[in-house]
Amino acid sequence: MASSRLEKIGTIVTRTEGLLRSGALKWDDRPLWYDVVKAFPPKEEPRYDRPAPNVSVRSIYYTEDPVRAKFHKLQNRSQYLTNLSDMRSKTATQHFIETYQQLKQQGALDEEKVFETAQEMLEEKLGQLKLERMAVPPVQQQQQPQGGAGQPEAKPAKTVHLQDIFKE
């Protein structure tokens, strides 16, 4: 089959160059990576039969990893949800690690007491953050400037809260 031989005949760059030379691919329709590869060619030719380099993978170890592992092992998985698109607020784990490190620096308690106290303080902190989020009024839409005599006056939009819908 022709499709099974394609990977073995030349590299993707040489095949793309062939398409450009033959006119099967217009110069304006060339792939984005083509100019980059031509400007900065790889050190070794990217061929299918080249063996993978034997590179050892360094283990990344942070000093707070054992505490983080213990925290996640003891916690209910669904208890602390994280919004990955919210880059401004910290996760529950980050709050816990900060609290744990602050308590440990004080040095008045042993490891288990520091861990338990940090958990209690985390519960209080997350409760306060939740109350603060609920207390903040929603952002009101800016009213459009009033037009001339021909345009009617714009009414402000109603804001609906989920808590209000389900109140009894």
Side-chain angles (χ1 to χ4, degrees):
M1 303 223 108
S3 64
S4 63
R5 290 185 304 215
L6 282 179
E7 292 84 18
K8 298 177 183 178
I9 301 174
T11 64
I12 187 73
V13 177
T14 58
R15 294 195 312 259
T16 305
E17 286 173 343
L19 290 172
L20 289 168
R21 271 192 310 248
S22 69
L25 183 65
K26 294 179 184 175
W27 181 255
D28 292 337
D29 295 336
R30 69 188 182 280
L32 293 172
W33 53 263
Y34 181 76
D35 293 328
V36 176
V37 171
K38 293 305 281 183
F40 305 102
K43 292 178 183 176
E44 297 180 24
E45 187 178 16
R47 295 187 47 87
Y48 82 98
D49 57 349
R50 182 174 51 120
N54 189 12
V55 178
S56 62
V57 179
R58 292 186 309 149
S59 61
I60 300 172
Y61 181 77
Y62 296 99
T63 56
E64 66 266 9
D65 282 348
V67 176
R68 182 179 289 117
K70 185 176 178 182
F71 173 73
H72 284 286
K73 186 177 182 180
L74 296 177
Q75 295 304 315
N76 183 1
R77 292 184 188 268
S78 64
Q79 188 172 3
Y80 303 117
L81 301 177
T82 303
N83 182 0
L84 296 178
S85 64
D86 184 12
M87 300 301 288
R88 289 180 281 150
S89 61
K90 295 179 181 178
T91 64
T93 307
Q94 289 170 329
H95 284 295
F96 177 78
I97 296 294
E98 285 177 2
T99 306
Y100 180 86
Q101 288 174 344
Q102 289 171 357
L103 290 172
K104 191 167 182 176
Q105 285 177 355
Q106 293 173 0
L109 303 170
D110 65 331
E111 285 289 320
E112 286 300 317
K113 284 290 186 184
V114 169
F115 192 84
E116 292 170 7
T117 308
Q119 281 182 320
E120 293 168 4
M121 291 176 71
L122 175 68
E123 293 292 332
E124 293 172 10
K125 190 179 219 179
L126 292 178
Q128 289 173 354
L129 289 173
K130 188 174 182 179
L131 289 175
E132 288 174 6
R133 286 188 200 129
M134 293 177 71
V136 173
V139 178
Q140 296 181 358
Q141 295 179 355
Q142 294 180 354
Q143 294 183 0
Q144 297 178 354
Q146 295 178 0
Q151 294 180 349
E153 191 173 317
K155 295 181 182 178
K158 285 188 175 181
T159 306
V160 179
H161 298 285
L162 193 60
Q163 294 90 357
D164 297 337
I165 293 174
F166 294 108
K167 276 187 180 175
E168 292 182 314

